[in-house]
Amino acid sequence: MGSLGISTTFTVGVLALQGAFNEHTQLLRSAAKFHPATQFTFLEVRTAAQLATCDALVIPGGESTTISLIAERCNLLEPLREFVKVQRKPTWGTCAGLILLAESANRTKAGGQELIGGLDVRVNRNHFGRQTESFQADLDLGFLAAEGGKAVPFRAIFIRAPIVETLLKASDGAQEDEAQKPETVIAPSKDVAEGIDPSIKRAPVEVLGTVPGRSAATKRQDGTTDNEAGDIVAVRQGNVFGTSFHPELTGDARIHAWWLGEVVKTMEARKSS
Ligand code: GLN
């Protein structure tokens, strides 16, 4: 095992303001069994004090406007931005959580939505349409494969799901160009120069999963389709991971188990540096 040994406990929070937080906590517990030598505490997070005890955080699916409104009322928005963008602790957003972690989101009324940011991407909210247009798809997720192998496809559930429609230039500040676009909101900049470990550079955005073939059926606003690449439904940028679908609504704990492994690796690397 890693240098920290069995005595280390990692506290993993699940933002519990609205949405599928309970399902995430259950699946995290199952996923922890894949890491028998590591101890985890799972915590529902509703206050800044609880957030401060966390090593990593999951932001669940639900309704991103509602989650951001409640977070604002609970004075959690700034602590969340600090957690993700300054402390750069491992954070995973699913569906509404992905929207909140994007630096830019379109199809959003001005003032209708606050973003946390952390992922230099623009998401298109509700890309796949309404609740009744929910669907499931088998995804080939390379990061779930054992070395040299191929993973069993992951049955992903999409409910009013966003997609990552554009990867933006990695920036440490606000995506000002994005703010000029109609119906687009951006996350406010965070002075990452302050309090951040300079050895942790802003990483590039990696595409970790796509849905093949959907883009042809759902033509983009600007008229382009991207049949080759498919629609981007899983991305990672340094400490931040986002999926448009809902692994927490399946019984398949593989993504949760993988992510917990990434959390442990990140925290161990930071402690030993
Ligand atoms: N599109 C929804 C939103 O804007 C997210 C849907 C979901 O999390 N299932 O928040």
PDB file of all heavy atoms in Angstrom, residues 225-246:
ATOM      1  N   THR A 225     -22.150  19.144 -36.204  1.00  0.00           N
ATOM      2  CA  THR A 225     -22.292  17.840 -35.550  1.00  0.00           C
ATOM      3  C   THR A 225     -20.908  17.218 -35.514  1.00  0.00           C
ATOM      4  O   THR A 225     -20.050  17.543 -36.320  1.00  0.00           O
ATOM      5  CB  THR A 225     -23.240  16.903 -36.330  1.00  0.00           C
ATOM      6  OG1 THR A 225     -22.802  16.853 -37.680  1.00  0.00           O
ATOM      7  CG2 THR A 225     -24.681  17.362 -36.272  1.00  0.00           C
ATOM      8  N   ASP A 226     -20.720  16.356 -34.572  1.00  0.00           N
ATOM      9  CA  ASP A 226     -19.392  15.798 -34.357  1.00  0.00           C
ATOM     10  C   ASP A 226     -19.524  14.290 -34.265  1.00  0.00           C
ATOM     11  O   ASP A 226     -19.350  13.696 -33.223  1.00  0.00           O
ATOM     12  CB  ASP A 226     -18.826  16.393 -33.056  1.00  0.00           C
ATOM     13  CG  ASP A 226     -17.328  16.198 -32.965  1.00  0.00           C
ATOM     14  OD1 ASP A 226     -16.770  15.563 -33.868  1.00  0.00           O
ATOM     15  OD2 ASP A 226     -16.746  16.678 -31.986  1.00  0.00           O
ATOM     16  N   ASN A 227     -19.848  13.692 -35.409  1.00  0.00           N
ATOM     17  CA  ASN A 227     -20.156  12.262 -35.391  1.00  0.00           C
ATOM     18  C   ASN A 227     -18.949  11.397 -35.050  1.00  0.00           C
ATOM     19  O   ASN A 227     -19.086  10.322 -34.494  1.00  0.00           O
ATOM     20  CB  ASN A 227     -20.716  11.830 -36.744  1.00  0.00           C
ATOM     21  CG  ASN A 227     -21.976  12.583 -37.076  1.00  0.00           C
ATOM     22  OD1 ASN A 227     -22.711  12.968 -36.166  1.00  0.00           O
ATOM     23  ND2 ASN A 227     -22.229  12.815 -38.351  1.00  0.00           N
ATOM     24  N   GLU A 228     -17.782  11.903 -35.409  1.00  0.00           N
ATOM     25  CA  GLU A 228     -16.571  11.122 -35.143  1.00  0.00           C
ATOM     26  C   GLU A 228     -16.361  10.967 -33.647  1.00  0.00           C
ATOM     27  O   GLU A 228     -16.202   9.877 -33.138  1.00  0.00           O
ATOM     28  CB  GLU A 228     -15.353  11.868 -35.724  1.00  0.00           C
ATOM     29  CG  GLU A 228     -15.282  11.847 -37.219  1.00  0.00           C
ATOM     30  CD  GLU A 228     -15.106  10.441 -37.744  1.00  0.00           C
ATOM     31  OE1 GLU A 228     -14.116   9.823 -37.362  1.00  0.00           O
ATOM     32  OE2 GLU A 228     -15.973   9.976 -38.500  1.00  0.00           O
ATOM     33  N   ALA A 229     -16.356  12.117 -32.969  1.00  0.00           N
ATOM     34  CA  ALA A 229     -15.955  12.108 -31.572  1.00  0.00           C
ATOM     35  C   ALA A 229     -17.104  11.722 -30.648  1.00  0.00           C
ATOM     36  O   ALA A 229     -16.888  11.225 -29.555  1.00  0.00           O
ATOM     37  CB  ALA A 229     -15.436  13.475 -31.186  1.00  0.00           C
ATOM     38  N   GLY A 230     -18.331  11.935 -31.060  1.00  0.00           N
ATOM     39  CA  GLY A 230     -19.453  11.719 -30.154  1.00  0.00           C
ATOM     40  C   GLY A 230     -19.548  12.863 -29.166  1.00  0.00           C
ATOM     41  O   GLY A 230     -18.764  13.814 -29.213  1.00  0.00           O
ATOM     42  N   ASP A 231     -20.522  12.792 -28.284  1.00  0.00           N
ATOM     43  CA  ASP A 231     -20.696  13.840 -27.283  1.00  0.00           C
ATOM     44  C   ASP A 231     -19.878  13.517 -26.038  1.00  0.00           C
ATOM     45  O   ASP A 231     -19.851  12.378 -25.567  1.00  0.00           O
ATOM     46  CB  ASP A 231     -22.171  13.957 -26.914  1.00  0.00           C
ATOM     47  CG  ASP A 231     -22.963  14.636 -28.019  1.00  0.00           C
ATOM     48  OD1 ASP A 231     -22.408  15.538 -28.677  1.00  0.00           O
ATOM     49  OD2 ASP A 231     -24.124  14.255 -28.219  1.00  0.00           O
ATOM     50  N   ILE A 232     -19.256  14.570 -25.522  1.00  0.00           N
ATOM     51  CA  ILE A 232     -18.361  14.361 -24.365  1.00  0.00           C
ATOM     52  C   ILE A 232     -19.190  14.290 -23.083  1.00  0.00           C
ATOM     53  O   ILE A 232     -19.922  15.218 -22.755  1.00  0.00           O
ATOM     54  CB  ILE A 232     -17.335  15.513 -24.275  1.00  0.00           C
ATOM     55  CG1 ILE A 232     -16.478  15.562 -25.541  1.00  0.00           C
ATOM     56  CG2 ILE A 232     -16.468  15.363 -23.024  1.00  0.00           C
ATOM     57  CD1 ILE A 232     -15.589  16.795 -25.649  1.00  0.00           C
ATOM     58  N   VAL A 233     -19.055  13.179 -22.378  1.00  0.00           N
ATOM     59  CA  VAL A 233     -19.870  12.974 -21.172  1.00  0.00           C
ATOM     60  C   VAL A 233     -19.038  12.679 -19.923  1.00  0.00           C
ATOM     61  O   VAL A 233     -19.608  12.479 -18.846  1.00  0.00           O
ATOM     62  CB  VAL A 233     -20.924  11.857 -21.399  1.00  0.00           C
ATOM     63  CG1 VAL A 233     -21.951  12.287 -22.436  1.00  0.00           C
ATOM     64  CG2 VAL A 233     -20.275  10.540 -21.805  1.00  0.00           C
ATOM     65  N   ALA A 234     -17.717  12.661 -20.052  1.00  0.00           N
ATOM     66  CA  ALA A 234     -16.864  12.508 -18.862  1.00  0.00           C
ATOM     67  C   ALA A 234     -15.549  13.246 -19.112  1.00  0.00           C
ATOM     68  O   ALA A 234     -14.917  13.062 -20.157  1.00  0.00           O
ATOM     69  CB  ALA A 234     -16.577  11.038 -18.572  1.00  0.00           C
ATOM     70  N   VAL A 235     -15.171  14.108 -18.179  1.00  0.00           N
ATOM     71  CA  VAL A 235     -13.921  14.871 -18.312  1.00  0.00           C
ATOM     72  C   VAL A 235     -13.210  14.946 -16.967  1.00  0.00           C
ATOM     73  O   VAL A 235     -13.833  14.818 -15.907  1.00  0.00           O
ATOM     74  CB  VAL A 235     -14.147  16.340 -18.786  1.00  0.00           C
ATOM     75  CG1 VAL A 235     -14.538  16.420 -20.240  1.00  0.00           C
ATOM     76  CG2 VAL A 235     -15.144  17.068 -17.915  1.00  0.00           C
ATOM     77  N   ARG A 236     -11.918  15.197 -17.065  1.00  0.00           N
ATOM     78  CA  ARG A 236     -11.150  15.437 -15.840  1.00  0.00           C
ATOM     79  C   ARG A 236     -10.167  16.557 -16.107  1.00  0.00           C
ATOM     80  O   ARG A 236      -9.603  16.663 -17.195  1.00  0.00           O
ATOM     81  CB  ARG A 236     -10.388  14.188 -15.433  1.00  0.00           C
ATOM     82  CG  ARG A 236      -9.419  14.462 -14.281  1.00  0.00           C
ATOM     83  CD  ARG A 236      -8.920  13.222 -13.639  1.00  0.00           C
ATOM     84  NE  ARG A 236      -8.114  12.448 -14.559  1.00  0.00           N
ATOM     85  CZ  ARG A 236      -7.445  11.356 -14.197  1.00  0.00           C
ATOM     86  NH1 ARG A 236      -7.527  10.917 -12.966  1.00  0.00           N
ATOM     87  NH2 ARG A 236      -6.721  10.700 -15.073  1.00  0.00           N
ATOM     88  N   GLN A 237      -9.992  17.413 -15.122  1.00  0.00           N
ATOM     89  CA  GLN A 237      -8.952  18.441 -15.198  1.00  0.00           C
ATOM     90  C   GLN A 237      -8.308  18.508 -13.816  1.00  0.00           C
ATOM     91  O   GLN A 237      -8.878  19.074 -12.876  1.00  0.00           O
ATOM     92  CB  GLN A 237      -9.537  19.804 -15.582  1.00  0.00           C
ATOM     93  CG  GLN A 237      -8.464  20.868 -15.781  1.00  0.00           C
ATOM     94  CD  GLN A 237      -9.028  22.187 -16.253  1.00  0.00           C
ATOM     95  OE1 GLN A 237     -10.237  22.426 -16.171  1.00  0.00           O
ATOM     96  NE2 GLN A 237      -8.167  23.063 -16.730  1.00  0.00           N
ATOM     97  N   GLY A 238      -7.136  17.906 -13.712  1.00  0.00           N
ATOM     98  CA  GLY A 238      -6.451  17.895 -12.414  1.00  0.00           C
ATOM     99  C   GLY A 238      -7.313  17.233 -11.355  1.00  0.00           C
ATOM    100  O   GLY A 238      -7.704  16.069 -11.482  1.00  0.00           O
ATOM    101  N   ASN A 239      -7.659  17.997 -10.340  1.00  0.00           N
ATOM    102  CA  ASN A 239      -8.424  17.457  -9.208  1.00  0.00           C
ATOM    103  C   ASN A 239      -9.917  17.324  -9.480  1.00  0.00           C
ATOM    104  O   ASN A 239     -10.659  16.807  -8.635  1.00  0.00           O
ATOM    105  CB  ASN A 239      -8.235  18.364  -7.981  1.00  0.00           C
ATOM    106  CG  ASN A 239      -8.695  19.798  -8.230  1.00  0.00           C
ATOM    107  OD1 ASN A 239      -8.337  20.407  -9.239  1.00  0.00           O
ATOM    108  ND2 ASN A 239      -9.507  20.336  -7.349  1.00  0.00           N
ATOM    109  N   VAL A 240     -10.390  17.823 -10.619  1.00  0.00           N
ATOM    110  CA  VAL A 240     -11.836  17.883 -10.840  1.00  0.00           C
ATOM    111  C   VAL A 240     -12.274  16.874 -11.899  1.00  0.00           C
ATOM    112  O   VAL A 240     -11.703  16.822 -12.994  1.00  0.00           O
ATOM    113  CB  VAL A 240     -12.285  19.306 -11.273  1.00  0.00           C
ATOM    114  CG1 VAL A 240     -13.803  19.437 -11.169  1.00  0.00           C
ATOM    115  CG2 VAL A 240     -11.622  20.368 -10.416  1.00  0.00           C
ATOM    116  N   PHE A 241     -13.285  16.099 -11.574  1.00  0.00           N
ATOM    117  CA  PHE A 241     -13.804  15.053 -12.455  1.00  0.00           C
ATOM    118  C   PHE A 241     -15.292  15.320 -12.634  1.00  0.00           C
ATOM    119  O   PHE A 241     -15.978  15.697 -11.677  1.00  0.00           O
ATOM    120  CB  PHE A 241     -13.552  13.702 -11.770  1.00  0.00           C
ATOM    121  CG  PHE A 241     -14.124  12.495 -12.455  1.00  0.00           C
ATOM    122  CD1 PHE A 241     -13.935  12.266 -13.820  1.00  0.00           C
ATOM    123  CD2 PHE A 241     -14.832  11.545 -11.718  1.00  0.00           C
ATOM    124  CE1 PHE A 241     -14.457  11.126 -14.433  1.00  0.00           C
ATOM    125  CE2 PHE A 241     -15.347  10.402 -12.321  1.00  0.00           C
ATOM    126  CZ  PHE A 241     -15.161  10.197 -13.678  1.00  0.00           C
ATOM    127  N   GLY A 242     -15.783  15.172 -13.859  1.00  0.00           N
ATOM    128  CA  GLY A 242     -17.203  15.419 -14.097  1.00  0.00           C
ATOM    129  C   GLY A 242     -17.793  14.390 -15.041  1.00  0.00           C
ATOM    130  O   GLY A 242     -17.161  14.012 -16.034  1.00  0.00           O
ATOM    131  N   THR A 243     -19.002  13.919 -14.723  1.00  0.00           N
ATOM    132  CA  THR A 243     -19.720  12.999 -15.618  1.00  0.00           C
ATOM    133  C   THR A 243     -21.131  13.529 -15.832  1.00  0.00           C
ATOM    134  O   THR A 243     -21.762  14.016 -14.895  1.00  0.00           O
ATOM    135  CB  THR A 243     -19.805  11.570 -15.015  1.00  0.00           C
ATOM    136  OG1 THR A 243     -20.333  11.627 -13.697  1.00  0.00           O
ATOM    137  CG2 THR A 243     -18.451  10.905 -14.966  1.00  0.00           C
ATOM    138  N   SER A 244     -21.624  13.453 -17.085  1.00  0.00           N
ATOM    139  CA  SER A 244     -22.993  13.926 -17.357  1.00  0.00           C
ATOM    140  C   SER A 244     -24.031  12.942 -16.883  1.00  0.00           C
ATOM    141  O   SER A 244     -25.192  13.283 -16.795  1.00  0.00           O
ATOM    142  CB  SER A 244     -23.301  14.078 -18.830  1.00  0.00           C
ATOM    143  OG  SER A 244     -22.261  14.233 -19.631  1.00  0.00           O
ATOM    144  N   PHE A 245     -23.618  11.694 -16.680  1.00  0.00           N
ATOM    145  CA  PHE A 245     -24.582  10.647 -16.333  1.00  0.00           C
ATOM    146  C   PHE A 245     -24.539  10.378 -14.824  1.00  0.00           C
ATOM    147  O   PHE A 245     -23.837  11.054 -14.088  1.00  0.00           O
ATOM    148  CB  PHE A 245     -24.287   9.384 -17.154  1.00  0.00           C
ATOM    149  CG  PHE A 245     -22.854   8.943 -17.100  1.00  0.00           C
ATOM    150  CD1 PHE A 245     -22.431   7.967 -16.214  1.00  0.00           C
ATOM    151  CD2 PHE A 245     -21.906   9.533 -17.923  1.00  0.00           C
ATOM    152  CE1 PHE A 245     -21.106   7.561 -16.159  1.00  0.00           C
ATOM    153  CE2 PHE A 245     -20.569   9.143 -17.869  1.00  0.00           C
ATOM    154  CZ  PHE A 245     -20.173   8.162 -16.977  1.00  0.00           C
ATOM    155  N   HIS A 246     -25.330   9.385 -14.417  1.00  0.00           N
ATOM    156  CA  HIS A 246     -25.539   9.138 -12.982  1.00  0.00           C
ATOM    157  C   HIS A 246     -25.069   7.749 -12.563  1.00  0.00           C
ATOM    158  O   HIS A 246     -25.891   6.843 -12.420  1.00  0.00           O
ATOM    159  CB  HIS A 246     -27.039   9.199 -12.666  1.00  0.00           C
ATOM    160  CG  HIS A 246     -27.632  10.555 -12.774  1.00  0.00           C
ATOM    161  ND1 HIS A 246     -27.716  11.419 -11.710  1.00  0.00           N
ATOM    162  CD2 HIS A 246     -28.198  11.187 -13.809  1.00  0.00           C
ATOM    163  CE1 HIS A 246     -28.299  12.529 -12.090  1.00  0.00           C
ATOM    164  NE2 HIS A 246     -28.604  12.432 -13.362  1.00  0.00           N
TER     165      HIS A 246
END
